[in-house]
Structure formats: C-alpha cells, structure tokens
Amino acid sequence: MSPIKIGMIGFGRMGGFYLEQMQKSGKWDVVYICDLSPESREEARKLSPRSKVITDEQEIFDDPEIEVVGLFALADSRLSQIEKAVASGKHIIAEKPIADCVEREWRAVTLAENAPLFSTVNLYLRNSWYHNTIKEFISSGQIGELAIIRVCHLTPGLAPGEGHEFEGPSFHDCGMHYVDIARWYAESEFKTWNAQAVRMWNYKDPWWLQCHGTFDNGVVFDITQGHVYGQLAEKQTHNSYVDIIGTKGIARMTHDFKTAVVELHGVTQTHRIERPYGGKNIDVLCDLFARSIESGRRCDALPRFRDAAVASEYAWKFIRDAQTHDLPAIGDQQTLQQIRARRRTMQNGYGLLRKRA
C-alpha cells in the first residue's frame, strides 16, 4: 500500500521520536510538521526536508489527503485538536494525557468512541516486549493466581518547574504509565487506595509518591514513582522494576534503559530473558496503527483513549489522597535551583529536554 499520509502537530522531544520511527518504517509519509517554535521548525526542516513545516495546524485538518494526525504538543491543546480531527475524518495518534484535565479527557473519549475512526494513545509500556512476555507467563498459569503487582520507577528525571505543567506533577505526567500498566496486568478496576507523598525541595507539588491498594478482583498493588533519585549524584542512576507475585510463582523485570532483564519463576519453567530495552516503543505503536489502517480492523493491542483517561483520573486521585495525609516538604529551593542548572548543561542524563538553539 502507499505510505500513510500524516500531519504532525508538536515537534518537541516526543515529536522527534515519532518522526524518526516513521521515517524508518517506510509505512508513513510525514506531509506536515506543525510547531509554533522557530527553533523546532528549523530542526524539522533539517530532519524532514520533504515535509511542509507550518505554524497553522488548521492546514493539516483542511487537507483531504491527510489520513492521520499526530498530536504531540502539550496536553492543553489536545481536546480542540481531537475535535478538529473527528470533524475532518482523520485518524488520531496522541501523546498522553489526552487533555489537560479529567473532565476534558472524558470528552475526548466520548468523541473518539462515537466516531468511525481509529485513535490511540502512547501508553508505551503496553507495547514493551518485557511486559507482554510477563503477561503471557501469567496467562499460562505458571505463577498460579495473580495476587500482588509491585511497580517502581525512580529516576533523576524531569525536575520540578522544567516544563510539562499541563501534564501535572511527576506522578501524573510520568506515573500514569505505571498506574495504567498495573491495571493492565490486573485486568480489573481500582477499588481501594492509600497514598503517601513528599514535596521534595519544598516544591509546591509532590515529586515522589507511593500508593498501595486493591483492585475489584482482589489483586493487591503498590506503585512507587518519583523523579527524585539522586538528582545531584556525581554519577546518576535509577531503580526501575516490576515484581509480579502469584500464589505459586513470580515474574519480574528490571532494566537500565538499554537492556531489560525478565526473570520468570514458574511451577515447571524457569527463564531468564535479556534483550534490548526498546525505549518508548514508538516503532511498535506506529506499526500497529499502520496495520489497523491498512486492514481496516483495529489491532487489539492498541491502547485506547479510555485507557489513558482511566490512568490519568486515578493518578490524580492518588495524588489527591496523598494530599489529605501528612505531606512533608524536605529540601530547599536552593538545591532545586542547583538541580535545574546542572540539567541545563548535562549532555547525558535522564529525561533531558531538547536544547533550543
């Protein structure tokens, strides 16, 4: 089939990732790249000279040849763009969250679910080889009944005040991925929760949070997330894992952002699998979406807007629950200023924003 014509809106860090993978796949024709930043537009012209680089997103929606829109700007712009995409009959790939507040996210869900169009959102953990390997092992019965889901993701990562304000504090902007993957494993809805957080460096929002609770089916979870892990350490590191406990066996994963290691300990099988981490798995998302358009049938593995809305809503609920408990502020603004200054000059690090010329 001919390459799928797409118009991209937003060419920051994530937009660059999508362009790279679409150029590699051969299934996509990036006709437009839209961004309000002159620096981003200049970068887009260098990386995709065949694309029309614009500032007015309406050109994309008005072009009848464009089949798909990619929504990669900040969350406050997404609902209006989803409305335009539905009105102009274009399929949608969106970053998460799909809007800048829960109410608007559910409006986006309603629009998408009532339209004869394909839509998906980048809940990238669902597309990872390691989580799918573990899910298959659970389904095989090797660990018995699923009982406990433990998820941890601690990195230096995005510092408070660096950006993403419409995406919310750390546990929402990043942590909603882990809220989503816990629900994906449980195949159930959240029932109870209790959260504790810390306002690191005396910032207005918590930047570390742990929540534990139960799902409707009785499975227990705990999720720990924060971009607080050794921000000023001489050599930065991280701690990221998933630990799945059943009534008979376990499955677990760790990674170093280069290699992921899955260990499976079942009643008759024991495996250790080591493979490249895979990053944001945007290649998988784009391939699944292209296959859906080519076949006219939505791939079941594609995350839905509804999944993103649920994860976002519960991430906010967990944050608000933490705010009803003791919410200590540890550290000071001077340290936070040192962290921001260091990250501005770092060449390699966790979650660095793309530097502007």
Side-chain angles (χ1 to χ4, degrees):
M1 295 183 66
S2 300
I4 299 164
K5 296 182 182 297
I6 183 172
M8 295 173 48
I9 302 174
F11 197 67
R13 179 170 175 261
M14 294 308 300
F17 289 157
Y18 280 93
L19 176 65
E20 179 183 3
Q21 295 304 326
M22 288 179 175
Q23 288 175 328
K24 286 180 181 178
S25 77
K27 292 186 175 184
W28 297 90
D29 178 8
V30 181
V31 179
Y32 294 95
I33 299 176
C34 177
D35 200 290
L36 297 178
S37 163
E39 292 89 350
S40 292
R41 294 197 301 275
E42 182 61 28
E43 184 75 4
R45 292 186 186 99
K46 291 177 183 177
L47 296 176
S48 188
R50 293 180 57 198
S51 301
K52 184 176 181 180
V53 180
I54 60 175
T55 58
D56 183 4
E57 65 183 40
Q58 193 60 44
E59 286 191 55
I60 296 172
F61 298 110
D62 289 343
D63 189 334
E65 293 191 356
I66 298 301
E67 301 165 79
V68 181
V69 290
L71 308 183
F72 313 135
L74 293 180
D76 61 323
S77 65
R78 285 197 194 119
L79 178 60
S80 65
Q81 292 163 352
I82 290 167
E83 290 171 338
K84 292 177 184 178
V86 169
S88 58
K90 302 187 189 307
H91 306 296
I92 307 165
I93 302 176
E95 272 299 297
K96 59 81 201 161
I98 53 173
D100 54 351
C101 70
V102 172
E103 180 184 358
R104 288 163 67 85
E105 287 176 287
W106 283 109
R107 283 169 57 189
V109 171
T110 300
L111 282 168
E113 292 185 346
N114 289 331
L117 301 164
F118 295 129
S119 58
T120 194
V121 58
N122 181 24
L123 297 174
Y124 76 97
L125 294 176
R126 291 177 176 233
N127 295 321
S128 64
W129 72 264
Y130 42 88
H131 284 306
N132 280 281
T133 297
I134 292 172
K135 189 84 173 287
E136 290 171 7
F137 197 65
I138 295 169
S139 297
S140 74
Q142 280 287 317
I143 72 168
E145 293 182 65
L146 176 61
I148 303 163
I149 301 167
R150 303 181 61 237
V151 184
C152 175
H153 188 72
L154 297 173
T155 77
L158 192 73
E162 279 192 322
H164 291 213
E165 292 303 312
F166 290 109
E167 278 70 12
S170 179
F171 191 80
H172 185 266
D173 184 17
C174 173
M176 66 174 281
H177 281 301
Y178 303 97
V179 174
D180 175 68
I181 207 64
R183 175 175 172 261
W184 180 79
Y185 272 117
E187 297 182 354
S188 186
E189 300 301 332
F190 292 100
K191 182 179 181 180
T192 65
W193 53 88
N194 183 78
Q196 178 63 56
V198 178
R199 288 174 48 226
M200 290 288 282
W201 313 295
N202 200 29
Y203 189 65
K204 63 182 179 67
D205 295 320
W207 225 246
W208 176 96
L209 187 147
Q210 183 180 70
C211 185
H212 64 262
T214 63
F215 288 95
D216 284 338
N217 61 4
V219 171
V220 172
F221 73 91
D222 74 68
I223 302 168
T224 304
Q225 189 277 336
H227 292 320
V228 300
Y229 209 64
Q231 282 277 13
L232 290 176
E234 179 184 22
K235 184 176 181 180
Q236 290 190 332
T237 186
H238 70 280
N239 186 14
S240 188
Y241 64 80
V242 61
D243 191 14
I244 307 296
I245 303 169
T247 56
K248 298 178 181 179
I250 65 100
R252 64 191 180 198
M253 180 279 295
T254 59
H255 69 78
D256 62 2
F257 286 101
K258 295 179 181 178
T259 303
V261 178
V262 171
E263 295 177 290
L264 307 172
H265 294 261
V267 290
T268 63
Q269 298 178 29
T270 305
H271 304 283
R272 186 181 188 277
I273 307 167
E274 186 172 322
R275 287 172 50 188
Y277 172 62
K280 297 288 187 182
N281 304 302
I282 290 172
D283 56 336
V284 178
L285 181 72
C286 291
D287 182 64
L288 290 173
F289 204 74
R291 284 160 50 190
S292 297
I293 293 173
E294 289 167 353
S295 68
R297 181 183 179 277
R298 180 190 176 87
C299 290
D300 292 338
L302 278 172
R304 297 178 181 271
F305 277 14
R306 178 173 293 272
D307 297 315
V310 170
S312 172
E313 181 173 12
Y314 277 95
W316 280 120
K317 285 183 178 181
F318 299 163
I319 292 168
R320 292 183 184 119
D321 183 74
Q323 291 170 335
T324 68
H325 305 141
D326 185 28
L327 191 62
I330 299 177
D332 55 37
Q333 291 285 311
Q334 183 178 0
T335 302
L336 181 55
Q337 290 171 8
Q338 292 172 349
I339 291 168
R340 291 171 181 161
R342 184 193 192 195
R343 285 175 56 77
R344 282 195 295 270
T345 60
M346 290 177 72
Q347 297 301 311
N348 295 294
Y350 292 80
L352 298 179
L353 298 177
R354 194 170 77 187
K355 292 180 173 60
R356 301 297 189 185

